[in-house]
Amino acid sequence: MLIVHNDRHHLHRGRFEMYRGHLVESVETPDRLDHVAAELARRGRTGWHNAEEPERRILERVHDRAYLDFLAHAWEDWVALDPANAAHDVLPSIWPAGASGLRQDVVPANFAARLGRYCFDAGTPLMAGTWEAARLGAGAAIACARHVGQGKGAAFTMTRPPGHHAGRACFGGYCFLNNAALAVETLIDCGAARVAVLDIDYHHGNGTQDIFYDRADVLTVSIHGDPASEYPFYSGYGDETGRGAGEGFNLNLPLPPGATAYAEWRQALDRALAAIARFGANALVVASGLDTFKGDPIARFALESEDYLKIGAAIAGAGLPTLFTLEGGYAVAPIGVNLANLLDGFEDLAG
Ligand code: SP5
Ligand code: ZN
């Protein structure tokens, strides 16, 4: 399996996120990816390729141009407001929320206003290195998709920050560029007529869903904690099935948080894989979040490390050219084992 590593990921290192009225330490930390890298190396998965700069043209297939320009200049604009800002990460404090009556169709000159326009939570700090780290992660996803799309086998995009919450023109949920969506567009460029996304992160992949919501050539399927109580709250319900030509090409499988362990989760996976088979996908992108693990500090499913071997094997059963991204997973020490188990299960390398 090809592994493309984003060796600039350390440049994105959030200090704090807003939580219940105060700032708490970021949970999406660089050591997450260091644990993944160490465990893959320990199992002999070496010979990684390094990510390269993505072409702007491909980024624009998924993201709004003005949004990309905003991300590219956000840090310098923030510091230009006041040099003292350099000591703090960028976090928004005002949003044009749908219910507020505030306009969402304007992009004011004021930086705080633009920030709120392009971001949907106060948990996704942006700093000097964010744009470079996110860009190279996108480059990693695109390189993986070219490999998969050219029939050379499976691939894993070893990067952070994650991507599946990022929409066409918004960041949030620790995500800035939607790596899974960029992989989908690259696979289509390589000739795949129909691409499926299977999102197994604990949190609904709202960004990926929204990007492809009108499309019949991309099936998006997500298994996640019920958004009635779980992040991202405003998306991920079972009645979201697609729109227009895309009607019937989005499937959400929300599960109760708390007790959900492998047996129940696996039933949802089987439903997801059946939908992907009916769709007739030519390629599969697995948005691989490991925050379904029982020890995750911000999520409430109860999967065990061994379960990821079985999940990988079930995904391999789809028999499709497959690309794995890396999304969430915040139980830092076990994330390497869990991710490596997923890939080993997929390649039938399990013990
Ligand atoms: C990619 C991904 O998994 N994103 C998840 C974003 C969830 N953000 C909200 C988390 C709220 C909890 N954060 C504070 C933890 C304090 N102990
Ligand atoms: Zn997640």
Side-chain angles (χ1 to χ4, degrees):
M1 182 178 302
L2 174 72
I3 296 174
V4 182
H5 180 220
N6 176 7
D7 65 355
R8 316 283 171 81
H9 77 91
H10 288 95
L11 296 173
H12 178 73
R13 181 190 294 267
R15 278 173 267 196
F16 302 108
E17 61 182 75
M18 179 66 84
Y19 183 66
R20 296 185 178 171
H22 67 133
L23 293 173
V24 299
E25 284 193 10
S26 289
V27 298
E28 199 290 287
T29 54
D31 57 342
R32 298 176 57 244
L33 202 68
D34 296 337
H35 276 87
V36 169
E39 182 63 16
L40 291 179
R42 198 187 68 78
R43 297 193 192 185
R45 288 190 184 273
T46 50
W48 310 329
H49 290 221
N50 269 335
E52 292 175 11
E53 285 284 348
E55 293 159 57
R56 171 86 184 198
R57 169 183 73 79
I58 302 180
L59 297 183
E60 288 182 7
R61 292 272 295 278
V62 166
H63 294 288
D64 177 83
R65 284 183 185 183
Y67 170 66
L68 294 170
D69 291 339
F70 171 81
L71 286 182
H73 299 291
W75 181 255
E76 65 192 59
D77 290 353
W78 172 251
V79 175
L81 290 175
D82 180 343
N85 282 356
H88 306 284
D89 294 347
V90 181
L91 279 181
S93 54
I94 184 168
W95 295 268
S100 62
L102 298 177
R103 288 177 60 171
Q104 296 183 299
D105 63 328
V106 290
V107 182
N110 178 282
F111 179 78
R114 282 191 291 134
L115 177 63
R117 174 64 185 75
Y118 289 125
C119 180
F120 61 85
D121 69 18
T124 309
L126 182 155
M127 72 262 5
T130 299
W131 175 234
E132 185 170 350
R135 233 168 46 224
L136 270 291
I142 292 163
C144 284
R146 291 217 170 102
H147 176 87
V148 173
Q150 289 165 4
K152 296 177 180 167
F156 170 54
T157 303
M158 187 157 66
T159 191
R160 52 169 292 283
H164 75 149
H165 294 303
R168 190 165 291 286
C170 61
F171 67 100
Y174 317 145
C175 304
F176 298 87
L177 296 176
N178 194 309
N179 301 320
L182 290 159
V184 167
E185 290 290 3
T186 306
L187 286 162
I188 290 171
D189 272 354
C190 290
R194 294 161 86 82
V195 179
V197 178
L198 171 63
D199 190 319
I200 59 172
D201 188 276
Y202 179 77
H203 305 97
H204 173 242
N206 60 291
T208 321
Q209 168 174 305
D210 193 56
I211 288 164
F212 297 116
Y213 208 56
D214 301 294
R215 299 262 297 264
D217 58 337
V218 181
L219 174 70
T220 42
V221 184
S222 181
I223 304 168
H224 48 264
D226 186 346
S229 62
E230 304 307 293
Y231 187 93
F233 310 115
Y234 306 105
S235 177
Y237 297 86
D239 63 355
E240 297 158 17
T241 54
R243 179 174 54 218
E247 180 61 50
F249 296 95
N250 186 75
L251 176 62
N252 283 331
L253 299 168
L255 296 173
T260 298
Y262 183 69
E264 191 179 353
W265 194 93
R266 175 57 194 263
Q267 289 183 355
L269 179 64
D270 288 342
R271 282 186 63 191
L273 291 170
I276 289 165
R278 276 197 305 277
F279 171 65
N282 307 113
L284 177 63
V285 174
V286 182
S288 311
L290 289 309
D291 40 12
T292 49
F293 180 59
K294 66 174 181 194
D296 197 277
I298 70 163
R300 299 196 279 163
F301 284 170
L303 301 195
E304 312 268 354
S305 290
E306 297 68 37
D307 295 333
Y308 295 98
L309 289 164
K310 296 178 264 183
I311 294 167
I315 292 169
L320 291 169
T322 300
L323 182 156
F324 296 86
T325 63
L326 184 66
E327 306 294 344
Y330 309 100
V332 172
I335 191 178
V337 168
N338 294 342
L339 185 280
N341 279 357
L342 181 73
L343 301 186
D344 281 0
F346 178 83
E347 290 196 319
D348 197 21
L349 297 179

